[in-house]
Amino acid sequence: LCRPPLSDFQKVSFKFIIDKMLGGLAKYMLILGFDTLYFSQNDVNRLIETARKECRVILTRNSKLQNSIGLPGFLLITDDQPAKQLRQVVSHFGITIEQDKLFTRCLHCNQKLLKTNAETIKGCVPPYIASYHQKFFLCPQCKKVYWGGSHYKMMQEMIWKILGGGR
């Protein structure tokens, strides 16, 4: 139903739900532009219910979930280092990273970011940032503002280094 054959995985848009043991991985997945829910609760049944309802692939370190019946998609993460976890997910699902998808989701609430300009976000960022940068991205839900500063560039380099495509 929600789970396409492995050969079709590259044709679908992945939606993930990541349990509370994988916060670092959740952030990486959001940076890559994937619709990723970070599930910080302890209720495993609710995690599974949410995954089924929203057709999300569960990424977890909880080996007990492997035996659950009817999961929409599941990957047991075997490493405790977020960089290696990311490599495992990308490799397992044969994911191709798309440059134009990077940094398109809010790192706090998973919403798609909206392009905006300095005039729109005036008062939300320091004046020197608003005067130096032309392009900004705004989260429509939590109102967090993002821009392509030095932190953005460092995160981008880190992602390419992790995935073996150093720039």
Side-chain angles (χ1 to χ4, degrees):
L1 183 66
C2 294
R3 191 173 173 179
L6 276 177
S7 61
D8 291 340
F9 264 126
Q10 291 182 333
K11 300 173 191 168
V12 299
S13 291
F14 285 100
K15 289 171 53 174
F16 296 99
I17 186 166
I18 298 181
D19 72 19
K20 70 179 193 168
M21 294 183 271
L22 298 169
L25 176 60
K27 186 163 272 191
Y28 284 148
M29 297 303 289
L30 288 166
I31 289 170
L32 293 178
F34 289 102
D35 183 342
T36 305
L37 284 182
Y38 176 62
F39 193 83
S40 60
Q41 301 170 23
N42 290 321
D43 188 344
V44 173
N45 292 325
R46 189 153 180 225
L47 171 85
I48 293 169
E49 179 185 319
T50 303
R52 281 187 188 131
K53 182 179 173 187
E54 299 182 16
C55 289
R56 292 183 179 276
V57 174
I58 297 172
L59 303 179
T60 184
R61 299 246 349 188
N62 184 346
S63 60
K64 293 176 186 172
L65 278 177
Q66 272 182 292
N67 301 323
S68 298
I69 297 170
L71 294 179
F74 175 86
L75 179 61
L76 179 66
I77 302 299
T78 56
D79 206 286
D80 56 353
Q81 294 179 19
K84 290 180 180 177
Q85 294 167 352
L86 178 62
R87 281 191 218 111
Q88 181 186 354
V89 172
V90 168
S91 173
H92 179 83
F93 293 109
I95 294 172
T96 301
I97 307 306
E98 298 176 43
Q99 180 74 30
D100 63 331
K101 300 272 194 234
L102 296 178
F103 304 101
T104 56
R105 291 201 167 263
C106 180
L107 299 181
H108 295 277
C109 68
N110 187 38
Q111 292 297 308
K112 282 191 175 182
L113 299 176
L114 304 173
K115 290 182 184 177
T116 189
N117 56 43
E119 190 62 37
T120 306
I121 53 88
K122 197 176 267 186
C124 298
V125 297
Y128 69 93
I129 296 293
S131 65
Y132 184 75
H133 295 279
Q134 287 79 42
K135 284 182 10 182
F136 293 88
F137 299 89
L138 175 68
C139 176
Q141 183 169 312
C142 73
K143 307 301 181 202
K144 183 153 177 56
V145 178
Y146 296 87
W147 61 92
S150 60
H151 190 70
Y152 166 85
K153 290 175 181 133
M154 287 187 310
M155 289 170 60
Q156 192 173 31
E157 289 294 323
M158 176 187 61
I159 288 291
W160 291 120
K161 184 177 178 184
I162 290 169
L163 296 176
R167 296 202 153 199

